[in-house]
Amino acid sequence: MTSTTPTASALSTTTSTSTASTTSVASVASWDDLVAAALLGTERRTPPVAPRPGQDAPSALLDAAALSTVRRRAGLRPAPARPGPGRAPEDPRPALPTAARSRLALLLADRSAPGRGGPRSAPDLAELLPQWLALANHHGYRVPDALLPALLDAARARTDLRPEALTLGGPRALWLARLNPDWKFALRGAAGRAPTPLPEPSDVAAAPDDEQRLWEEGLFAERVSLLASARHRDPAAGLALLSGTWSTERAEDRLMFLDSLRDDLSPSDEPFLEQALSDRSRNVRATAAELLSALPGSALAARMAERSRGCVALTTDEPTAGERIAVRPPDECDSGMQRDGIVAKPPSGRGKRSWWLGQLVEATPLDRWSEWFGGRTPAEIVALPVTDGWQADLHAAWCRAAVRQRSAEWCRALLGTPAVAPVTAGEAAPAAWRDPAKLLSALPARERAEWVAEFIASHGLSDAFRLLGVCTVPWAEPLGHAVVDALDIARDAGSYPWSFSGVMGLAERCLDPSQADRLEVLTAIPDETEGAAPGAGGYWAEAFQRLVGTLRLRAAMQAELAPA
């Protein structure tokens, strides 16, 4: 079949008999059957229409398709006009400065540019977008309306952008997302963070009925935002709001709401969390147990402490008269332990008893150990020998407890000094009983930076990547100097520069922009030393050029966003 245009006979008939015959056949044959025959060709598939005398099969098929099209179009009835969208909500936040608005447009345009072919020494604008969004939100700006679609597209493509992008977008981002299914992610919230600015206490207090209505009828993201605001303003009132609908919530929503209680957790939440220990969802039960264990005075913490005390005790070694920690893990995981959040089945390759022991110890209030071990400090307790090879399991559980309970003193004791700290962050538990990155997260920002700087001075950059990731941005001194000095040493030694690309990328985002002038001298191509990696000098020069350019661009972004 070569013709694709209906013949004139499809729109006019020669005899009433032939018209009636074709119309009858066309009405019987479905449109899908006609299309299938046209796509495959009448030689491969017999058309679902009978040709008139003297007519070939392709012409009959086209006539039937034309008549079917006319019939379908004639049968359409005009639909009532749909109401237009309501007016977009007001956003009282200040508008971006002109220079910052232009910068955002460039960052969003660069994100969508396919295969940007700039030089390797040019800054990567896509990596600067998250930092720009965080800084703009810090100053409390709102995104220009014209850039909202591009911002939502960027957040759709990159989940790491969503919390900051939706905060910058504010209520108008949610309004726009309701009109386009491509942006429906905004209506679900972003990793538990409220995508819209929290309502002012005066606004909520003035309209309690509106608050209740929003809680009962609002979108999930709006409800998360409302719960966070209510909890921050009045933890008891926020908990009452959640308790009122708890039994009717979906399991995944209960989990998210429960997780949102972390920031303003207090002893008054204990009765509600104790009730959640009997929830039908295993994940909800586990989260409730974790929150209760973060309350040192809770009944669950007391129950866990009593179980741990039966498993871990201070004993005296008779031959040497030295004290050590004796460990006897539980023999079974009874129903009471499981209700309190102990997972009975261990992961593959892990023994049951060590698995149960670790969960008990990490849920025990850390101050109990000093009480049970004669008033010893955390450092003194960590230094005690442990019998029968249980040290790795016991110390790993203490690490998790220190991070969960945010105990800086225990984290310091478990970290040890940077110069002798074991490099175990990448090994499999429980051999890596110390995870420096997690333990550092509980320390003050300045102390964190100083510890990592000393670690780099002692061990170099190879094992410091995860540690750098938990330090606040921009890196406080002496950390910035330590990183630059280590990179300079690697450059002078002719090391493979590709091994340091991850650290260099972190430096672009985390170094203080004021370091740019100091690094200018490193942008020159160094003389190649004997044994250096081929081409390493040129690569190092490009990498430092890109680092300097990125730092100066970050400085410009900060200046553009600074309030007038």
Side-chain angles (χ1 to χ4, degrees), residues 211-403:
E211 180 186 56
Q212 187 65 35
R213 185 179 305 108
L214 179 61
W215 175 251
E216 294 176 354
E217 302 175 4
L219 298 168
F220 179 71
E222 296 171 329
R223 300 179 73 206
V224 170
S225 176
L226 176 62
L227 179 61
S229 173
R231 285 280 297 179
H232 185 69
R233 181 181 75 252
D234 183 351
L239 187 64
L241 201 65
L242 179 58
S243 301
T245 59
W246 179 258
S247 61
T248 62
E249 304 287 355
R250 299 183 306 168
E252 54 267 36
D253 292 348
R254 293 199 305 277
L255 181 62
M256 292 290 290
F257 288 138
L258 197 62
D259 194 64
S260 69
L261 302 182
R262 292 180 187 274
D263 291 341
D264 297 288
L265 192 64
S266 69
S268 61
D269 299 325
E270 182 179 356
F272 176 80
L273 294 174
E274 276 283 344
Q275 181 182 0
L277 289 175
S278 302
D279 194 271
R280 56 186 178 273
S281 167
R282 182 180 66 180
N283 290 333
V284 172
R285 294 195 302 270
T287 302
E290 182 183 347
L291 294 176
L292 283 168
S293 67
L295 295 172
S298 68
L300 179 136
R303 294 193 296 270
M304 291 298 198
E306 190 62 29
R307 295 178 180 120
S308 292
R309 191 173 188 181
C311 297
V312 183
L314 194 63
T315 186
T316 302
D317 190 343
E318 293 299 338
T320 62
E323 290 184 306
R324 60 184 59 235
I325 300 174
V327 176
R328 185 181 183 280
D331 295 316
E332 62 175 345
C333 183
D334 57 35
S335 59
M337 291 169 61
Q338 294 184 49
R339 182 185 182 275
D340 284 345
I342 302 299
V343 178
K345 185 177 180 180
S348 178
R350 186 77 181 274
K352 289 183 179 180
R353 299 180 72 198
S354 66
W355 173 245
W356 300 333
L357 173 70
Q359 294 178 81
L360 291 177
V361 172
E362 71 177 279
T364 298
L366 289 166
D367 56 6
R368 300 293 181 90
W369 300 107
S370 295
E371 176 187 334
W372 296 335
F373 289 179
R376 285 177 169 83
T377 65
E380 292 171 337
I381 294 173
V382 170
L384 288 170
V386 182
T387 62
D388 302 327
W390 285 103
Q391 176 175 305
D393 294 278
L394 181 60
H395 284 203
W398 277 339
C399 285
R400 295 192 295 272
V403 173

